[in-house]
């Protein structure tokens, strides 16, 4: 069985990894937003359904990244609460 100090250290590593993941998700969100703007500018005025589908998919992807970030924030909060009980 791990000691309390070892457990806290492992949780700290996991929290750092979550933070790294959050940074990557935020960067991905920014890139998606840029792509969405570029696509909108390039295809302005096009009423083709595939263009609308592409924009819709990018919007959905952005929303899912936001949900991912929200979930990681909850995970961090729960892990910190657990550490506080140790």
């Amino acid at each position: 069985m791990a000691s309390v100090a070892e457990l806290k250290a492992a949780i700290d590593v996991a929290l750092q990894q979550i933070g790294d993941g959050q940074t990557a998700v935020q960067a991905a969100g920014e890139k998606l937003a840029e792509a969405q703007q570029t696509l909108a500018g390039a295809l302005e005025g096009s009423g083709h359904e595939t263009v609308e589908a592409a924009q819709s998919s990018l919007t959905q992807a952005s929303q899912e990244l936001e949900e991912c970030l929200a979930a990681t924030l909850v995970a961090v909060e729960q892990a910190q609460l657990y550490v506080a009980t140790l």
Side-chain angles (χ1 to χ4, degrees):
M1 182 173 215
S3 70
V4 171
E6 291 170 330
L7 186 55
K8 285 183 177 183
I11 292 170
D12 284 343
V13 170
L15 291 174
Q16 179 60 49
Q17 291 168 332
I18 292 169
D20 293 346
Q22 288 171 327
T23 300
V25 169
Q26 289 169 337
E30 290 169 8
K31 287 295 181 185
L32 280 179
E34 290 172 15
Q36 203 166 14
Q37 288 177 349
T38 301
L39 187 62
L43 302 173
E44 187 176 342
S46 174
H48 198 275
E49 66 185 51
T50 57
V51 171
E52 293 174 14
Q55 289 287 25
S56 178
S57 292
L58 288 173
T59 298
Q60 180 182 352
S62 293
Q63 291 170 343
E64 289 176 7
L65 286 175
E66 289 177 25
E67 291 171 9
C68 176
L69 281 175
T72 61
L73 291 173
V74 171
V76 166
E77 183 179 287
Q78 294 301 311
Q80 290 172 334
L81 286 172
Y82 178 68
V83 167
T85 67
L86 297 176

